[in-house]
Amino acid sequence: RVFNATQGQQVIYDAIMEYVNRINAEAMAAYSVFIAETTQNYKERYKLPGGGYMQEVNPDQRPDAVKSYGSWDVAYPLKNYADAIGGSRVDRSYMTVAELDNQVQGIVARSVNTTRRELLRALLYKEDETFVDPLWGSLVVKALATGAGDGVLYPPVLGSNTEAIRLRYQGTNYLTAAISDTNNPYATINDALVADFGQQQGNSNIAVFINTAEKAKTIALTDFDPLNDRFITPGANINQLTSLPPGMPGTIIGRTNGCWVVEWPFIPATYMLGVHLDAPAPLKRRIDPADTGLGDGLQLIAEDYEYPFIQSYWQNRFGLGVGNRLNGMALQLASSTTYTSPTIT
């Protein structure tokens, strides 16, 4: 029994934290397609290279100074998430290693679920969020680029030298059942992201995350190349996908129109989310400054003994906000060109 084996309790908890730290690292690796880095900044000016032309001047004339980049202001929240394992002294005394493992697995699952929920909200909600920071006051946490009401002129798209607005939330004006070679959401996503970040020779490196509800119509597209069953050796004259991007959440099911198609059931039905894998990821994850000693990721932070009950407290402090407001394209498969944010609980 775990809590009666007094000499083994520290060994068990060390093993638990080793496991939890490994889960923290694996979760961040899986979400690295969306999260560029961790940051201790609460607010910053995000910069991308600008465009334009050099100035034609006389040999004895100084050129005017110009802004060599495009920029916009962003902010990041920092929220406190917690959980606990509780029970009486008798419950603890009878708890086995397997039962403790089940409790820890539940906390880990809830932590992963919370990170995923906040990630999807940050990218699929087009509305700004006002986060009241206890130190820095009200912070406006931005979404991806939202068009004319955005107030930002972004760096020129490829083929242009003029800064312009962008719109990264669109309705398709057709439903899932109407997806076809004519009504192709993958072409829309590819065109939008390639215009800002380009593509290498041989096609784009874009991932589009879809719900299972959009899978059948996607597979039916003429340009769709499926990912072969790993237990089957393909025969002759069959296309085979290569250079699969590693560490994706969800399951890569194939490619179409320059996009990796990733089935991820946590994407709300009738929504699609595209990200350019060769550009800086859209989100940053804010954590506490190192000198606070609060750490990073899911942690066991305290045990409380108040007879006859004992509780173990777990904490995960983080916040997700969009930094690169151009690397993302959210589509809603709806009979309108207006995008309505989904409900993510």
Side-chain angles (χ1 to χ4, degrees):
R1 303 189 188 279
V2 178
F3 291 94
N4 282 335
T6 55
Q7 294 183 4
Q9 287 186 44
Q10 186 62 50
V11 174
I12 291 170
Y13 273 110
D14 287 347
I16 288 174
M17 289 314 303
E18 181 182 349
Y19 165 72
V20 169
N21 290 336
R22 188 167 68 248
I23 293 297
N24 286 335
E26 290 176 356
M28 288 305 98
Y31 293 141
S32 62
V33 62
F34 303 112
I35 303 173
E37 60 181 291
T38 58
T39 181
Q40 298 176 17
N41 296 334
Y42 66 94
K43 187 177 181 180
E44 66 182 4
R45 178 155 291 181
Y46 194 93
K47 300 176 182 179
L48 285 179
Y53 298 96
M54 294 187 70
Q55 302 163 50
E56 182 177 350
V57 297
N58 296 324
D60 56 354
Q61 179 183 358
R62 291 182 178 179
D64 296 327
V66 298
K67 184 175 71 172
S68 61
Y69 55 84
S71 66
W72 50 88
D73 293 337
V74 293
Y76 309 110
L78 181 55
K79 301 177 182 180
N80 193 74
Y81 303 98
D83 213 333
I85 300 175
S88 70
R89 177 174 175 271
V90 174
D91 293 333
R92 282 294 186 98
S93 297
Y94 276 90
M95 183 178 287
T96 65
V97 173
E99 290 167 344
L100 177 61
D101 180 65
N102 286 337
Q103 295 275 12
V104 174
Q105 291 276 9
I107 288 177
V108 167
R110 291 190 288 276
S111 177
V112 171
N113 291 344
T114 300
T115 302
R116 182 183 61 244
R117 181 193 65 192
E118 296 305 301
L119 184 153
L120 291 174
R121 285 177 175 177
L123 291 172
L124 292 178
Y125 285 10
K126 68 176 182 179
E127 296 79 17
D128 293 345
E129 173 193 1
T130 299
F131 174 75
V132 180
D133 192 293
L135 294 178
W136 308 109
S138 296
L139 304 176
V140 179
V141 183
K142 294 292 186 178
L144 298 170
T146 54
D150 198 302
V152 177
L153 293 178
Y154 294 93
V157 298
L158 298 179
S160 171
N161 287 284
T162 304
E163 295 181 335
I165 63 171
R166 299 286 195 284
L167 179 60
R168 289 295 196 247
Y169 298 96
Q170 295 181 22
T172 56
N173 208 24
Y174 55 84
L175 302 178
T176 297
I179 291 176
S180 65
D181 292 341
T182 302
N183 296 323
N184 192 329
Y186 298 95
T188 301
I189 292 172
N190 181 78
D191 291 348
L193 295 179
V194 165
D196 275 305
F197 301 109
Q199 65 181 22
Q200 297 181 358
Q201 294 295 330
N203 221 331
S204 311
N205 193 23
I206 292 170
V208 178
F209 297 84
I210 66 170
N211 186 276
T212 305
E214 280 65 61
K215 181 177 179 179
K217 297 299 292 186
T218 296
I219 292 174
L221 293 171
T222 302
D223 187 52
F224 182 81
D225 288 308
L227 181 62
N228 294 315
D229 190 319
R230 66 190 179 97
F231 295 106
I232 298 175
T233 302
N237 303 319
I238 295 178
N239 291 338
Q240 297 185 51
L241 301 184
T242 62
S243 303
L244 271 68
M248 288 284 179
T251 304
I252 299 174
I253 62 172
R255 271 185 71 83
T256 185
N257 293 94
C259 301
W260 296 104
V261 181
V262 186
E263 181 187 1
W264 196 23
F266 294 104
I267 295 289
T270 73
Y271 288 83
M272 307 174 75
L273 176 64
V275 177
H276 201 301
L277 302 180
D278 292 336
L283 298 175
K284 290 191 179 183
R285 184 171 68 97
R286 182 182 167 191
I287 60 174
D288 291 293
D291 58 6
T292 63
L294 290 171
D296 179 20
L298 178 65
Q299 302 173 81
L300 174 62
I301 57 169
E303 287 218 323
D304 180 37
Y305 295 83
E306 186 173 347
Y307 182 81
F309 299 106
I310 305 172
Q311 285 192 305
S312 301
Y313 292 97
W314 297 74
Q315 189 178 72
N316 192 355
R317 287 175 55 81
F318 71 95
L320 294 172
V322 175
N324 186 356
R325 301 183 67 191
L326 296 179
N327 191 10
M329 184 70 186
L331 293 185
Q332 181 185 11
L333 294 155
S335 53
S336 171
T337 57
T338 300
Y339 180 97
T340 302
S341 298
T343 299
I344 300 173
T345 58

